[in-house]
Amino acid sequence: MADEVLFELFHSEIVAFLYRTTDKEDQDQCIAKLESLGFRVGQSLVERFTKDCSRFKDDLDIMKFICKDFWNSVFKKQVDNLRTNHQGVYVLQDNRFRFLTQISNGKQFMDAAPKYLAMACGIIRGSLANIGINSVVTAEVSAMPACKFQIQLQRT
Amino acid sequence: MSKQASRSCDPRKVNGELFTLTYGALVAQLLRDYEDDEEVNKQLEKMGYNIGVRLIEDFLARTNTGRCNDFRETADIISKMAFKMYLGITPVVSNWSAAGDEFSLLIENNPLIDFVELPDGHNALNYSSLLCGVLRGALEMVQMEVDVKFVQDQLKGDSVTELRLKFVKRLEDAVPVGED
């Protein structure tokens, strides 16, 4: 049972490592790499996590699950605000996002925010994918450590 | 419609799995990127070192341990406190060398290798190399230069994972790296 601190240091080391070992001109790939890393984690995580669950009723039910139980286990708190336009776009707002709390409280280091959110986006996308929903997940920060995740469900 | 069963789940457990799974995803990514087991070992070790350097601060702040008088005390603290606190396991300390400067940590249920199976053709890969780096980095920050290496690995069919720690030398108080 790994301690929280260990995971947080590990996460920031992964980010630092990818940026350290990638050439300057290829650094846009890092975000994609972190995202795919997270995707894989989310996929297996949700599989273990929902094995004793009852079936989900609809999309909103799944989103509630993500906001409450999933968020609680992975990010140590619940999502503070969930909004939707009822057409497949969900916005999850977290006012104190776990990976950002140690970085800054305000507008400092804003350029660094995307790389610390990429893996989280991947985790969310991966878990939704394994529940059976394709989606596009993006993150947006206006002032740390608050953060908004926008989930766009893809209908096929 | 029937009432939904609660989806409660132990957050601490999930947190542990989160770490394990993230580690697995990382190793897989590194194997794709480097295609060479030795190089992956090296990179994992380096990442561990960077984590250890920072983790020791957290450890000292939370446990109130003072300076160790000898290497035996260090071994005890590593296995009974540090491993317990961060990974929830207590490795057995054994195989002391006569001079008391070398010992083994026997890890029976390494949390890093849950759900892991090593595919063929990766005999040189030390999957849990991160641990070596963490130990080396953390001990370096308390002025001990230590050599850490794998002797046995459960993923390669051994019954336990064995890490060998060898005390190299005591580092003198020096200016931190990167400052003149």
Side-chain angles (χ1 to χ4, degrees):
Chain A
M1 241 149 280
D3 189 85
E4 269 177 79
V5 180
L6 190 60
F7 180 71
E8 263 151 47
L9 286 178
F10 184 49
H11 173 257
S12 59
E13 179 56 29
I14 293 178
V15 175
F17 167 81
L18 278 179
Y19 276 82
R20 194 170 61 224
T21 52
T22 318
D23 296 333
K24 270 273 178 312
E25 56 264 31
D26 299 335
Q27 289 206 333
D28 347 337
Q29 287 176 15
C30 288
I31 297 277
K33 240 181 207 174
L34 282 167
E35 217 264 348
S36 75
L37 214 65
F39 183 82
R40 216 182 136 146
V41 176
Q43 253 187 332
S44 14
L45 201 63
V46 86
E47 194 166 289
R48 299 191 51 75
F49 197 44
T50 52
K51 69 180 193 292
D52 304 319
C53 282
S54 50
R55 265 192 108 76
F56 297 108
K57 275 187 304 221
D58 50 16
D59 290 350
L60 191 65
D61 196 31
I62 294 172
M63 282 304 156
K64 279 188 193 153
F65 161 77
I66 294 283
C67 291
K68 284 187 182 155
D69 304 273
F70 188 78
W71 219 263
N72 221 340
S73 320
V74 181
F75 303 117
K76 298 281 153 208
K77 66 193 284 295
Q78 290 187 7
V79 166
D80 294 294
N81 192 334
L82 167 67
R83 265 179 296 177
T84 175
N85 66 354
H86 296 290
Q87 277 158 20
V89 178
Y90 294 83
V91 178
L92 280 58
Q93 188 178 342
D94 191 333
N95 295 331
R96 205 161 32 79
F97 188 62
R98 182 176 172 190
F99 293 152
L100 297 178
T101 47
Q102 303 297 325
I103 298 176
S104 149
N105 192 1
K107 301 243 177 230
Q108 205 184 3
F109 305 124
M110 284 295 276
D111 331 341
K115 53 183 175 183
Y116 288 97
L117 293 169
M119 210 165 102
C121 288
I123 292 180
I124 301 169
R125 195 168 66 85
S127 26
L128 286 173
N130 217 2
I131 301 179
I133 302 182
N134 288 325
S135 57
V136 175
V137 182
T138 47
E140 185 189 316
V141 185
S142 50
M144 291 206 245
C147 166
K148 271 184 198 156
F149 291 93
Q150 183 173 336
I151 303 175
Q152 215 161 355
L153 307 188
Q154 306 283 295
R155 287 274 162 251
T156 43
Chain B
M1 197 167 282
S2 66
K3 246 191 153 181
Q4 274 180 14
S6 74
R7 298 194 188 98
S8 64
C9 195
D10 181 6
R12 274 192 65 87
K13 184 153 174 289
V14 168
N15 199 42
E17 289 179 355
L18 177 64
F19 181 69
T20 307
L21 292 169
T22 311
Y23 188 72
L26 175 75
V27 176
Q29 179 72 45
L30 289 180
L31 282 171
R32 263 200 303 279
D33 287 357
Y34 291 99
E35 293 170 358
D36 173 37
D37 293 354
E38 292 294 343
E39 188 62 27
V40 173
N41 289 343
K42 218 170 82 192
Q43 297 296 346
L44 285 171
E45 216 262 4
K46 215 183 269 175
M47 291 178 81
Y49 175 84
N50 291 334
I51 294 173
V53 163
R54 300 175 66 191
L55 198 65
I56 186 74
E57 308 259 348
D58 179 75
F59 179 75
L60 293 177
R62 276 162 70 178
T63 54
N64 250 329
T65 34
R67 232 166 232 292
C68 294
N69 296 316
D70 57 11
F71 204 40
R72 281 177 191 275
E73 198 183 334
T74 311
D76 257 7
I77 290 181
I78 290 174
S79 78
K80 298 212 180 78
M81 294 175 80
F83 267 90
K84 179 103 197 107
M85 190 158 127
Y86 292 112
L87 293 176
I89 52 171
T90 316
V92 177
V93 179
S94 73
N95 300 350
W96 279 97
S97 64
D101 64 345
E102 238 181 286
F103 67 90
S104 291
L105 285 173
L106 303 178
I107 308 173
E108 232 169 83
N109 39 0
N110 182 358
L112 287 183
I113 62 169
D114 288 345
F115 331 122
V116 179
E117 220 173 281
L118 219 51
D120 290 336
H122 287 291
N123 286 326
L125 177 72
N126 288 328
Y127 184 83
S128 317
S129 283
L130 191 88
L131 288 182
C132 299
V134 172
L135 287 168
R136 193 168 64 83
L139 289 173
E140 193 171 308
M141 290 299 114
V142 287
Q143 269 113 32
M144 269 184 264
E145 191 180 321
V146 180
D147 202 39
V148 190
K149 61 169 189 287
F150 273 92
V151 186
Q152 298 187 70
D153 193 341
Q154 271 166 307
L155 285 177
K156 293 176 191 162
D158 299 311
S159 58
V160 287
T161 299
E162 179 178 352
L163 284 175
R164 192 88 182 138
L165 277 83
K166 184 180 189 319
F167 181 80
V168 180
K169 65 168 190 233
R170 199 171 178 84
L171 299 164
E172 295 304 320
D173 279 335
V175 190
V177 182
E179 280 176 37
D180 287 310

